[in-house]
Amino acid sequence: RRFLQTLGAVTLVTVVASGGAFWYFTAIEQNPGVQQDFDPEKKTLVILGSGWGATSLLKTLDTEDYNVILISPRNYFLFTPLLPSVAVGTVTSRSIIQPTRYVARHKKRKVSVIEAEATDVDPAKKTVTFSDNSSIQGQLWSTTIPYDYLVYAVGAETQTFNIPGVAEHACFMKELHDAEKFQTQFMDCVESAAFPGQSSEEIDRLLHMVVVGGGPTGIELSGELHDFLTDDLRQWYPELAERIRITLVEALPTVLPSFSKQLIDYTESTFKEAKIDILTKTMVKEIKERSVVVKMPDGTVKEMPVGLVVWAGGNKMRKLTADLMAKLPETQTNRRGLTVDDHLRLKGANSIFALGDCTATQYAPTAQVASQEGAYLARMFNQIAKRDALETKLKALQANPEQAAEADSMLKQITKLEKWRPFHYSHQGSLAYIGSDKAIADLPFFGDGNLATGGVATYLFWRSAYLSSLFSFRNRAFVASDWLKTKLFGRDVSRE
Ligand code: FAD
Ligand code: NAI
């Protein structure tokens, strides 16, 4: 009887909880209700980008204060930390993206989302020109709009140092399509190696994967690739799996220079056990269709036959950013990116704010920094809206000499409001997955202290940290179910 009572109680709770969740997601999440329309009295805030910085800003911003227009060639937010997992099929593409329109639709006032690429920013006229660069275009595909405030959050692109063959022959690991391209090309290499009668030399070439760049992107991708090999390819391609080689090439003396020494050593020894070759002090000089030319530490030049090369050589500024800097030659001279003040205002253009990877600040170009900057700017814009409203009132008061005292008091209020707190970055630690169910973490500990940890427990921490920092409950549910599916059924080796 007790068993039946317990079963009944559990069933009741499950039914009520599922019903509640069903009601919440169908009634609230999918039907967010009526939004206020644009208000001609409000200022226009244009946001460029839909990445970490822009999305964090949009999420926190009180849109009642502005008419917001967001322009980005990507109509979704991409959770970049799990991109290497998508590359090998541990999680699927759709699980780590969140449509920007979904975020916009949940704001109080309408937010106009435009899928287009900004091609010009004119800080003098306060205008942005943008174009629809997709393969299908309407009759109108390029236009210019004015802004009162502009948030510039276009990120960076992959640095190739103009090394010959990189753009033509290597795969990048920056955007969703890069991970998808990698997955297809990797499986292509494996299937071509399995082609009957393939020579032994050609099989070795096709199964040699070279990752260029020992920063966190290159390390995480190599780790994920190793897992794919040991967890899945050994089952499905037993005759080939042992011949797959992964080589990581890094120009500096060590990999992961931003992590503590102990974790660098731990990563190197984990890679050694996993049979991932690390070539440090080795510089890639050229990438050819079937080989990579490297300069070895002793100065000799070697040509390595390869099936696939992944280029993870760091960031460089976009052309749009370089063009904007050229318009502000006196204040924008840093070759790494845009110079901003403590309040993320672009030096030389007071109505533009810039954040994330497109800026050159004391902080590393990370998602953590960009998202904190976005949230900070959202709070700043709430203050700016208050200031602007008072300024409008002040102008009316100043027009009437009898209201001079009131105008004076309002001026004091405005001056007080303008004492905005500068941006302060709070570092939550650095985490990276290194394969073989191991992760590394450099975590802040009691003020200036640092806790460096690596291993399987850190991997579980990595998983829970990333799961909780995913954009929405929807993303969390998708990623958790992908992890479960991968555990139960393995990764999918079919090629699209
Ligand atoms: P992005 O997120 O790159 O967003 C830029 C946006 O601008 C995009 O929406 C883009 O489509 C848009 N855009 C581009 N050109 C234009 C244009 N002309 N007009 C309008 N919009 C434009 N950081 C961490 O802290 N932790 C991690 O674990 C981590 N893992 C990473 C893994 C990988 C594989 C990569 C590549 C990066 C990782 N990073 C990580 C770094 C992090 O992704 C970046 O620092 C972060 O994305 C920067 O945010 P952002 O908003 O400046 O730029
Ligand atoms: P990176 O700039 O950190 O590393 C690129 C590496 O490529 C450098 O070490 C460089 O020496 C090497 N390199 C460049 N050209 C080379 C050549 N010709 N031959 C050999 N090696 C060459 O770039 P990455 O890894 O893409 O990271 C970019 C930013 O994103 C960083 O700020 C990083 O911290 C952040 N990120 C953070 C992650 C995490 O915290 N888990 C994961 C991925 C990225």
Side-chain angles (χ1 to χ4, degrees), residues 257-466:
S258 59
F259 279 78
S260 43
K261 168 88 176 72
Q262 179 191 339
L263 295 181
I264 294 173
D265 293 345
Y266 182 72
T267 305
E268 288 184 348
S269 68
T270 304
F271 271 29
K272 203 170 175 188
E273 271 171 38
K275 298 199 173 77
I276 300 172
D277 292 329
I278 301 185
L279 303 179
T280 50
K281 295 186 192 163
T282 304
M283 174 84 89
V284 170
K285 293 301 226 183
E286 186 179 353
I287 300 182
K288 299 185 183 172
E289 206 185 331
R290 288 155 184 259
S291 63
V292 175
V293 181
V294 292
K295 191 170 169 202
M296 301 300 286
D298 61 7
T300 56
V301 173
K302 190 175 153 189
E303 192 160 340
M304 299 189 289
V306 286
L308 182 58
V309 184
V310 184
W311 183 268
N315 290 346
K316 84 163 187 204
M317 74 169 84
R318 294 189 188 278
K319 184 180 172 294
L320 184 71
T321 309
D323 291 347
L324 176 59
M325 287 173 71
K327 287 178 185 149
L328 304 164
E330 277 169 25
T331 44
Q332 296 296 328
T333 49
N334 192 324
R335 287 170 61 188
R336 282 195 304 121
L338 297 169
T339 307
V340 290
D341 68 11
D342 289 349
H343 299 96
L344 308 182
R345 248 183 320 229
L346 189 71
K347 290 220 168 137
N350 258 344
S351 305
I352 304 182
F353 294 79
L355 68 160
D357 284 7
C358 60
T359 59
T361 61
Q362 54 178 306
Y363 312 114
T366 63
Q368 263 190 77
V369 172
S371 61
Q372 287 184 30
E373 288 179 334
Y376 164 83
L377 264 191
R379 291 190 294 272
M380 271 274 287
F381 274 114
N382 295 343
Q383 297 283 94
I384 291 173
K386 281 189 195 135
R387 192 263 327 258
D388 288 351
L390 287 180
E391 258 180 6
T392 314
K393 280 188 194 156
L394 178 68
K395 273 186 199 143
L397 292 175
Q398 281 169 336
N400 184 352
E402 283 176 17
Q403 290 178 310
E406 258 183 86
D408 201 40
S409 130
M410 193 153 284
L411 197 63
K412 279 187 189 135
Q413 273 187 58
I414 292 173
T415 319
K416 208 169 150 197
L417 252 183
E418 279 185 335
K419 285 192 182 125
W420 294 310
R421 277 207 211 139
F423 171 69
H424 170 75
Y425 171 60
S426 156
H427 186 57
Q428 304 296 306
S430 304
L431 275 169
Y433 181 60
I434 59 171
S436 317
D437 290 347
K438 291 175 184 165
I440 52 169
D442 258 332
L443 302 171
F445 193 62
F446 285 116
D448 286 344
N450 182 54
L451 178 70
T453 155
V456 179
T458 313
Y459 166 61
L460 296 175
F461 174 69
W462 175 88
R463 276 207 158 179
S464 55
Y466 279 13

Side-chain angles (χ1 to χ4, degrees), residues 50-62:
S50 56
W52 278 95
T55 306
S56 161
L57 164 77
L58 185 61
K59 207 176 169 185
T60 321
L61 184 74
D62 185 350

Side-chain angles (χ1 to χ4, degrees), residues 10-22:
V10 170
T11 312
L12 189 69
V13 170
T14 313
V15 167
V16 170
S18 325
F22 182 78

Side-chain angles (χ1 to χ4, degrees), residues 129-296:
T129 303
F130 51 91
S131 312
D132 174 2
N133 287 343
S134 58
S135 53
I136 296 176
Q137 292 168 338
Q139 275 181 339
L140 180 68
W141 57 273
S142 182
T143 189
T144 300
I145 56 165
Y147 62 81
D148 293 303
Y149 296 113
L150 176 75
V151 174
Y152 191 89
V154 302
E157 57 186 47
T158 305
Q159 173 65 277
T160 65
F161 301 102
N162 291 327
I163 292 175
V166 176
E168 296 80 1
H169 306 303
C171 250
F172 294 147
M173 199 48 60
K174 185 105 184 126
E175 300 288 343
L176 201 55
H177 56 82
D178 295 328
E180 287 166 347
K181 181 178 162 190
F182 172 88
Q183 204 177 27
T184 308
Q185 292 202 346
F186 176 72
M187 286 318 300
D188 222 353
C189 286
V190 179
E191 290 295 355
S192 298
F195 194 83
Q198 200 70 269
S199 73
S200 183
E201 206 179 308
E202 186 63 352
I203 291 174
D204 286 338
R205 178 188 75 78
L206 286 163
L207 298 182
H208 186 202
M209 309 295 146
V210 170
V211 179
V212 187
T217 303
I219 292 289
E220 290 193 326
L221 184 76
S222 308
E224 291 274 2
L225 198 48
H226 163 265
D227 290 358
F228 188 23
L229 175 63
T230 51
D231 298 349
D232 304 282
L233 296 177
R234 280 211 180 122
Q235 313 288 333
W236 313 118
Y237 301 88
E239 69 293 355
L240 294 177
E242 294 308 321
R243 294 174 75 169
I244 297 181
R245 282 191 304 137
I246 307 167
T247 305
L248 182 88
V249 184
E250 169 55 56
L252 298 175
T254 65
V255 294
L256 294 175
S258 59
F259 279 78
S260 43
K261 168 88 176 72
Q262 179 191 339
L263 295 181
I264 294 173
D265 293 345
Y266 182 72
T267 305
E268 288 184 348
S269 68
T270 304
F271 271 29
K272 203 170 175 188
E273 271 171 38
K275 298 199 173 77
I276 300 172
D277 292 329
I278 301 185
L279 303 179
T280 50
K281 295 186 192 163
T282 304
M283 174 84 89
V284 170
K285 293 301 226 183
E286 186 179 353
I287 300 182
K288 299 185 183 172
E289 206 185 331
R290 288 155 184 259
S291 63
V292 175
V293 181
V294 292
K295 191 170 169 202
M296 301 300 286

